[in-house]
Amino acid sequence: MHDIKFIRNNPKKFEEQMDRRSLNVNVSSILAIDKSIRKKQSEIQVIQEQRNNSSKEIGKLISKGENVSDLKKNISDFKSKLTKLDHEIKNYSNKLNDILKVLPNSLDEDVPYGDNENDNKLVKEWGTKPKFSFEPKDHVEIGEKLNQLDFKTGVKISGSRFVLLRGKIALLERALSSFMIDTHVNNFGFEEISPPYIVRDQALFGTGQLPKFSDDLFCTTDKRWLIPTAEVPLTNIVRDEILDKNTLPLRFVANTPCFRSEAGAAGTDTRGMIRQHQFSKVEMVFITNPIDSDKELNNLVSCAETILKKLELPYRVMKLCSGDVGFSAKKTFDLEVWLPGQNSGKGMYREISSCSNCGDFQARRMNAKFKNKETKTIDFLHTLNGSGLAIGRTMIAILENYQQSDGSVLIPDVLVPYMKGIKKIEALN
């Protein structure tokens, strides 16, 4: 949510910020509503003062035994006027919120201009792409020949964009989860959280999925929502809280299933596990002091990179352009892993982690603040989130990068202890 005081004091700059998002925002209409609200609030203050003066006068007249019926009528009239003004302010405020709550976050100045992912900027590449003596297969063909990626049964049970994992590949999913969580907790000092997977409207509003992206979510019959990412419950831990500055930063990590209808991506990535309705993801969330959030974004990216390096998976880091940064973010870096079996065996990079600084955008929607006891000030927190990593896409990357000519798949060394000592996935009989 945007700060109306900032818009009021910087209307031209706010227009420019929204223009970078390719939005033509009518700031004058926003300011007109804001002016109406403040005018009504001033009228309330005047009437409240008149009511207080009348109440004092009534007390004096009663002590003298004089008639106060006219003054009592005035107080009743004041009450009616205040009720009417309160109702008018509420209507104006709702109208203002309806405009502001669907506007995306403002972008950092250093976010490059661009229309879509083709305009993102390469920051760096890491790792050596594997070379094969055979044409590399994609994860679908690999997993089906191993008899451990069962798309047919997934469709039978749940419909399209679901998969059933079997045997060692099911174990690989569990191994990846444990490895990632252990790394974040033991190496990076995160607090592990096991959050609810079903949330209320307020939680999704706080992180920016509602109201704009309701079609991409699954809603229950009692009007609650399946989480699209653990970012939602983790970030909402601090909703309606005032934290002590000295407790910051908070660093949360969780492994959860994620549920997405993919309404906005209909017809894309229909093959395999690239884009599923249900998938597992290890999610990182930072709650920080505003002065530290830029530094913490780099830390977030570094944590995700470390997982890829430990798995020895080639990747690159991309700085997203203005047309590709998500609704709630002000700056985002994507980590894209190399998948040699994609693009008919020619290979391509695919997103495996998206790390974002949301500034105070989510905190304002959640009313999440921190207090500096020394300066006696209260301000909004900054929130950051990132995948550490998407487990399904990490499995895809392992299957495709570690595939062998006989159809088996080697296990990265760091995962062998989590795989009960198994070093290779071979076909089930």
Side-chain angles (χ1 to χ4, degrees):
M1 189 71 81
H2 292 280
D3 181 4
I4 187 60
K5 291 181 182 178
F6 175 85
I7 300 173
R8 188 188 305 148
N9 296 329
N10 306 274
K12 185 66 177 176
K13 185 172 183 178
F14 184 71
E15 279 187 346
E16 291 171 354
Q17 289 175 342
M18 292 299 100
D19 183 63
R20 292 191 70 207
R21 287 282 198 168
S22 299
L23 291 174
N24 183 13
V25 176
N26 187 348
V27 176
S28 60
S29 65
I30 293 174
L31 295 179
I33 298 171
D34 175 54
K35 184 177 180 179
S36 296
I37 292 172
R38 289 185 291 130
K39 180 174 181 293
K40 299 295 180 183
Q41 289 171 335
S42 297
E43 291 176 18
I44 283 179
Q45 290 177 346
V46 171
I47 293 172
Q48 285 175 333
E49 185 176 352
Q50 292 173 340
R51 182 184 63 180
N52 292 339
N53 291 337
S54 294
S55 296
K56 291 176 183 177
E57 188 66 22
I58 285 175
K60 292 177 183 178
L61 293 176
I62 288 176
S63 66
K64 295 177 182 179
E66 297 184 21
N67 189 310
V68 295
S69 57
D70 288 343
L71 283 173
K72 284 185 175 180
K73 183 180 183 303
N74 285 344
I75 287 179
S76 178
D77 290 343
F78 290 148
K79 184 178 180 181
S80 296
K81 289 178 181 178
L82 288 172
T83 300
K84 181 182 177 184
L85 285 169
D86 280 336
H87 181 71
E88 290 173 347
I89 288 174
K90 184 177 180 180
N91 285 340
Y92 279 124
S93 296
N94 287 340
K95 188 180 294 186
L96 181 61
N97 285 336
D98 285 343
I99 295 172
L100 295 182
K101 69 187 181 184
V102 296
L103 295 180
N105 199 354
S106 301
L107 299 171
D108 272 1
E109 293 296 330
D110 63 341
V111 171
Y113 177 79
D115 294 326
N116 52 50
E117 62 183 18
N118 296 321
D119 298 314
N120 295 339
K121 303 300 181 184
L122 176 65
V123 176
K124 72 175 186 179
E125 292 183 68
W126 182 92
T128 303
K129 297 173 184 176
K131 294 181 179 179
F132 301 96
S133 60
F134 56 94
E135 184 176 316
K137 302 175 179 62
D138 73 356
H139 67 283
V140 177
E141 188 173 353
I142 295 167
E144 288 184 334
K145 287 189 175 180
L146 291 170
N147 297 318
Q148 293 172 63
L149 277 187
D150 190 344
F151 293 98
K152 183 178 180 180
T153 302
V155 170
K156 179 179 71 174
I157 295 170
S158 301
S160 62
R161 300 203 185 212
F162 288 91
V163 65
L164 190 88
L165 306 182
R166 295 177 176 271
K168 300 302 185 295
I169 290 184
L171 176 59
L172 177 61
E173 181 182 48
R174 181 154 49 95
L176 281 167
S177 167
S178 297
F179 158 67
M180 290 180 193
I181 292 293
D182 283 353
T183 303
H184 284 82
V185 172
N186 299 331
N187 295 20
F188 307 146
F190 282 63
E191 179 185 358
E192 182 179 0
I193 303 290
S194 180
Y197 304 156
I198 299 176
V199 296
R200 297 175 174 176
D201 288 7
Q202 301 98 307
L204 285 157
F205 177 82
T207 46
Q209 283 84 5
L210 286 181
K212 193 173 178 64
F213 304 103
S214 60
D215 287 346
D216 288 323
L217 305 170
F218 286 110
C219 189
T220 66
T221 55
D222 63 351
K223 304 304 178 185
R224 290 182 290 179
W225 305 84
L226 303 184
I227 60 169
T229 165
E231 170 201 343
V232 178
L234 293 183
T235 310
N236 274 272
I237 290 173
V238 298
R239 179 162 56 93
D240 293 325
E241 300 285 342
I242 300 178
L243 306 182
D244 185 334
K245 184 193 77 168
N246 295 322
T247 66
L248 302 175
L250 302 179
R251 296 192 177 106
F252 302 133
V253 65
N255 173 49
T256 68
C258 304
F259 306 91
R260 300 183 185 179
S261 71
E262 299 292 355
T268 60
D269 293 322
T270 55
R271 179 174 169 80
M273 293 174 58
I274 293 288
R275 200 177 294 278
Q276 297 268 284
H277 289 312
Q278 175 188 311
F279 59 95
S280 295
K281 181 156 66 80
V282 170
E283 184 74 3
M284 306 176 286
V285 164
F286 288 0
I287 309 295
T288 77
N289 188 317
I291 63 174
D292 296 324
S293 67
D294 286 337
K295 176 184 70 177
E296 291 293 346
L297 177 58
N298 293 331
N299 185 18
L300 198 70
V301 172
S302 177
C303 290
E305 284 189 83
T306 298
I307 299 295
L308 287 166
K309 288 176 179 177
K310 285 178 175 290
L311 293 170
E312 298 184 72
L313 293 171
Y315 69 90
R316 67 183 185 185
V317 179
M318 305 294 291
K319 188 175 189 178
L320 300 200
C321 72
S322 57
D324 203 28
V325 175
F327 179 83
S328 295
K330 70 191 188 93
K331 187 190 323 188
T332 299
F333 292 98
D334 272 6
L335 278 68
E336 299 179 344
V337 69
W338 176 251
L339 301 180
Q342 303 296 302
N343 192 25
S344 301
K346 297 176 184 177
M348 64 187 300
Y349 284 102
R350 296 302 301 259
E351 177 203 332
I352 196 168
S353 175
S354 193
C355 297
S356 299
N357 184 357
C358 298
D360 64 2
F361 185 79
Q362 293 178 327
R364 288 183 180 278
R365 296 169 78 98
M366 296 188 301
N367 192 34
K369 301 178 180 180
F370 72 101
K371 183 176 183 179
N372 188 330
K373 290 182 179 179
E374 290 78 25
T375 60
K376 297 181 180 179
T377 56
I378 295 177
D379 204 352
F380 287 102
L381 294 158
H382 277 200
T383 63
L384 302 91
N385 63 80
S387 309
L389 308 160
I391 292 177
R393 293 196 178 189
T394 308
M395 285 197 296
I396 292 171
I398 290 172
L399 292 175
E400 295 194 7
N401 281 278
Y402 283 87
Q403 62 182 296
Q404 303 298 301
S405 59
D406 63 358
S408 65
V409 175
L410 297 181
I411 300 298
D413 291 342
V414 74
L415 288 183
V416 172
Y418 294 93
M419 290 288 293
K420 302 178 181 179
I422 296 168
K423 297 184 178 182
K424 181 187 291 188
I425 299 177
E426 298 179 289
L428 289 177
N429 295 328

